[in-house]
């Protein structure tokens, strides 16, 4: 009808969704960027970075519990700072030592090769390879197997034990429920 945009904006306004503004996009752009963000950065990338950081410390002889705090637990503090004010706020609220280390070491870990791999993840999304693999995993046990492998990683047992000692997490879960 040519009125979809106006109708969508009217619904958004009626639901209170215009308070922070609107990003106009297409179904294709939203889908591809969402899948990419989840796979390469937010879920897949972050989880793998945490796992490999934890493994590096444990393999070097550090306590698994300390490695958990340094590589996983404290991640929330940094993510909250990034969420609230971007890189600038993170730089303001972490130590100068943390800032310097981040600026000279971050790109050594997440380097041009990592970016090339991200481009391949995006290409797989764009060309339908990811969708095919996802659909194929539903008719096999691949997804369940990968999920059980992730849940069986040793960091999970360490984290579960440590989280039991954090009563504020249980209180937060009750408030959210």
């Amino acid at each position: 009808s040519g009125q979809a945009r106006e109708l969508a904006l009217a619904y958004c306004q009626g639901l209170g969704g215009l308070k922070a503004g609107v990003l106009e996009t297409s179904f294709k752009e939203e889908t591809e960027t969402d899948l990419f963000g989840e796979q390469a950065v937010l879920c897949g990338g972050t989880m793998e970075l945490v796992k490999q950081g934890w493994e590096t410390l444990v393999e070097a002889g550090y306590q698994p519990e300390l490695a958990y705090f340094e590589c996983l637990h404290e991640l929330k503090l940094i993510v909250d700072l990034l969420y609230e004010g971007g890189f600038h706020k993170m730089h303001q609220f972490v130590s100068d030592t943390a800032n310097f280390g981040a600026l000279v070491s971050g790109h050594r870990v997440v380097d041009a090769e990592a970016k090339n791999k991200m481009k391949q993840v995006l290409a797989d999304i764009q060309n339908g390879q990811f969708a095919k693999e996802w659909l194929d995993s539903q008719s096999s046990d691949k997804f369940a197997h990968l999920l059980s492998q992730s849940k069986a990683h040793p960091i999970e047992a360490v984290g579960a034990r440590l989280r039991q000692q954090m009563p504020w997490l249980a209180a937060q879960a009750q408030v959210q429920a």
Side-chain angles (χ1 to χ4, degrees), residues 12-24:
C12 286
Q13 185 171 357
L15 295 169
L18 296 181
K19 292 177 184 172
V22 172
L23 292 175
E24 191 166 333

Side-chain angles (χ1 to χ4, degrees), residues 58-80:
V58 171
E59 290 166 5
Y62 295 97
Q63 297 174 56
E65 296 80 6
L66 190 55
Y68 174 86
F69 277 107
E70 295 302 333
C71 295
L72 191 150
H73 188 79
E74 292 183 17
L75 184 61
K76 182 184 182 326
L77 303 172
I78 301 305
V79 169
D80 284 350

Side-chain angles (χ1 to χ4, degrees), residues 47-149:
M47 195 170 69
E48 198 59 35
L49 190 63
V50 166
K51 268 188 349 190
Q52 291 195 32
W54 183 85
E55 289 172 2
T56 299
L57 288 174
V58 171
E59 290 166 5
Y62 295 97
Q63 297 174 56
E65 296 80 6
L66 190 55
Y68 174 86
F69 277 107
E70 295 302 333
C71 295
L72 191 150
H73 188 79
E74 292 183 17
L75 184 61
K76 182 184 182 326
L77 303 172
I78 301 305
V79 169
D80 284 350
L81 291 171
L82 291 169
Y83 174 81
E84 293 167 7
F87 297 156
H88 179 75
K89 186 163 184 176
M90 185 202 72
H91 290 307
Q92 277 185 296
F93 285 88
V94 301
S95 70
D96 287 345
T97 307
N99 272 315
F100 181 74
L103 296 170
V104 300
S105 298
H107 67 276
R108 293 170 56 198
V109 176
V110 183
D111 59 6
E113 185 57 31
K115 187 174 182 180
N116 288 335
K117 290 177 181 179
M118 286 183 180
K119 288 178 180 181
Q120 185 56 57
V121 168
L122 181 57
D124 288 349
I125 291 165
Q126 292 169 326
N127 68 26
Q129 180 59 37
F130 170 73
K132 180 185 181 323
E133 190 173 348
W134 169 239
L135 291 173
D136 289 349
S137 77
Q138 300 306 295
S139 61
S140 70
D141 66 346
K142 181 178 182 176
F143 178 55
H145 175 71
L146 292 171
L147 200 51
S148 83
Q149 277 185 318

